[in-house]
Amino acid sequence: MEVYKDEKKRIYLENNSIAYLFGFQVDEFIEVHEYQRGEWIIQEGMRPDFLFYVMEGAAKIYITHQNGKVSLINFISANDYIGEMELLNDVYYTKGIQASTKTICFALPFYRYRTQLMEDAKFLRELTKFLSVKATLRAAKYSQSLAFPLENRLADFILQTADEGIYKEKHITVCDYLGVSYRHLLHVLKQFCDKNYLQKEGRNYQIIHYDSLYKLAEVLKHN
Amino acid sequence: MEVYKDEKKRIYLENNSIAYLFGFQVDEFIEVHEYQRGEWIIQEGMRPDFLFYVMEGAAKIYITHQNGKVSLINFISANDYIGEMELLNDVYYTKGIQASTKTICFALPFYRYRTQLMEDAKFLRELTKFLSVKATLRAAKYSQSLAFPLENRLADFILQTADEGIYKEKHITVCDYLGVSYRHLLHVLKQFCDKNYLQKEGRNYQIIHYDSLYKLAEVLKHN
DNA sequence: TGAATAATATGAGATATCTCATATTTTCGA
DNA sequence: TCGAAAATATGAGATATCTCATATTATTCA
């Protein structure tokens, strides 16, 4: 992890204004952090000292269960907050957040800004919107996961993440995210290939029959 | 649904102050609504005209999937907001909310208060906290539902909802909430009885072996 | 009060998903 | 560049969960 200093920090701040997020001046004590792929932005179970706002990159939120099973809870990308739960709640079990690409974020030290943030309508309004969108997405995903078999959810996931007709997510990530076993994921992928919805090309899968996948995924949408 | 008028409204407002929720005066245009068991506070798919704050009672949030399957998404009780999603987001699929007991809430008309609410730090701070807690609970429930079989989740649910050692939730509600079929729920309940964790008494179940259930539920908690 | 509706109950077979064992291939750091 | 670790792959049997069919109570309401 690198903390931008002096000139480097100044330049980054100049080129990436986040004044629109706050009703007051934050420049003085704000930091700019850069994390490499694989680095932990927050360690599971340890409260962070900063409120982060992600500018570039992507990360994943994980939680470890008592039985050792690890769940990927969600993806984080540009314009997401990190540490907002800890800002708002004194009692909160901190999830682990790991950068999955190089990730740059602004970091506001709690000890310095907590009081001001909690009284700033502009900030609170932005955060509220962020939280409500997050809650909505999560609710949708949750009720889907209970109501539909992997076949439908995977079709949706493939269409969402495929790039130019090519699906190339890591299986391990996907089973975490969709909450199924590795074995079963492969099984359903094979079915898709057998049915000619996909065609395997080395590590990747090319979408052959878009419509069939779309039909499977469509079932997830309510109305 | 009854809207309290005149004297009745005045008395209710006097006895139940919610001044602490807002940084400005809301008395003038606020309404007090009372819903009977079974009544819909919000119809699925129809945007509400009010922001509600629940004072008494309990309700359930439902969503209907395209395949006709209905999921119970969550419970609502005193001190919860309703309609906050619609206040914050112009685009939002409204879930259905049905009172499960007599429910009384304050109702603030959007057309009158929207602008002021979105600029009121006190209100936004309360709402933000509410949303963050909500998001946390949902996240926990979600990752649990994927990582553990019904046995564990049901044990937890029974301990949470049992009243003086007696569990008496309606099966239908529970399968909605836990996202399993009616048949399977009964199957696992029968197992609990066979193992002497529970003892069936007419419609209800008495908790016999608290410890065993606790052990099953404990597995859900992370650390 | 009686009929309609909701809730509870149970069996049996089907399917979705998991666990475990094991092999091969790829990636990546020392 | 070599070896460890990560990722992919596949089989086989176990288990969790679903669907459907069908009865039997409760509850509600006209």
Side-chain angles (χ1 to χ4, degrees), chain B residues 3-20:
Chain B
V3 180
Y4 289 10
K5 295 281 183 198
D6 308 324
E7 194 66 357
K8 191 167 185 182
K9 174 182 169 187
R10 198 182 56 72
I11 292 174
Y12 197 85
L13 280 171
E14 261 174 31
N15 295 330
N16 301 274
S17 172
I18 48 167
Y20 67 95

Side-chain angles (χ1 to χ4, degrees), chain B residues 10-169:
Chain B
R10 198 182 56 72
I11 292 174
Y12 197 85
L13 280 171
E14 261 174 31
N15 295 330
N16 301 274
S17 172
I18 48 167
Y20 67 95
L21 290 177
F22 309 99
F24 60 99
Q25 202 59 23
V26 294
D27 282 15
E28 195 177 357
F29 296 97
I30 204 172
E31 298 184 3
V32 183
H33 291 189
E34 178 181 317
Y35 298 87
Q36 296 310 309
R37 176 172 190 279
E39 271 191 292
W40 291 90
I41 300 174
I42 302 186
Q43 301 263 343
E44 184 169 349
M46 297 184 53
R47 292 186 78 81
D49 299 318
F50 300 88
L51 173 72
F52 298 94
Y53 187 79
V54 178
M55 296 303 291
E56 310 171 27
K60 291 174 190 153
I61 312 178
Y62 288 100
I63 193 172
T64 307
H65 297 282
Q66 224 186 13
N67 61 4
K69 211 166 192 172
V70 174
S71 295
L72 171 60
I73 298 188
N74 228 330
F75 296 98
I76 281 183
S77 54
N79 304 311
D80 284 350
Y81 292 90
I82 296 177
E84 81 285 359
M85 292 302 185
E86 290 82 356
L87 172 69
L88 295 165
N89 304 106
D90 293 332
V91 177
Y92 177 75
Y93 180 76
T94 296
K95 278 76 180 166
I97 300 192
Q98 186 182 38
S100 47
T101 67
K102 186 179 85 172
T103 299
I104 302 177
C105 15
F106 286 115
L108 285 82
F110 284 154
Y111 80 92
R112 188 73 216 183
Y113 287 118
R114 168 168 255 136
T115 314
Q116 280 175 88
L117 287 173
M118 295 304 280
E119 282 166 5
D120 181 22
K122 200 167 176 184
F123 165 70
L124 290 169
R125 188 164 56 239
E126 288 302 320
L127 181 53
T128 307
K129 276 187 195 165
F130 169 74
L131 288 174
S132 75
V133 169
K134 198 167 142 183
T136 304
L137 294 177
R138 206 195 294 286
K141 188 167 161 256
Y142 173 68
S143 63
Q144 281 170 18
S145 75
L146 292 176
F148 297 97
L150 180 61
E151 188 180 40
N152 300 289
R153 294 181 288 134
L154 180 58
D156 185 54
F157 185 81
I158 289 174
L159 293 175
Q160 265 185 32
T161 55
D163 189 24
E164 304 191 349
I166 309 275
Y167 167 78
K168 52 174 95 167
E169 294 300 315

Side-chain angles (χ1 to χ4, degrees), chain A residues 40 44-45 61-73 93-96, chain B residues 143 147-148 219-223:
Chain A
W40 291 90
E44 184 168 349
I61 311 177
Y62 289 99
I63 193 172
T64 308
H65 297 281
Q66 225 186 12
N67 61 3
K69 210 167 193 172
V70 175
S71 295
L72 171 60
I73 298 188
Y93 180 77
T94 296
K95 276 76 182 166
Chain B
S143 63
F148 297 97
V219 177
L220 298 186
K221 323 297 178 195
H222 34 70
N223 73 15

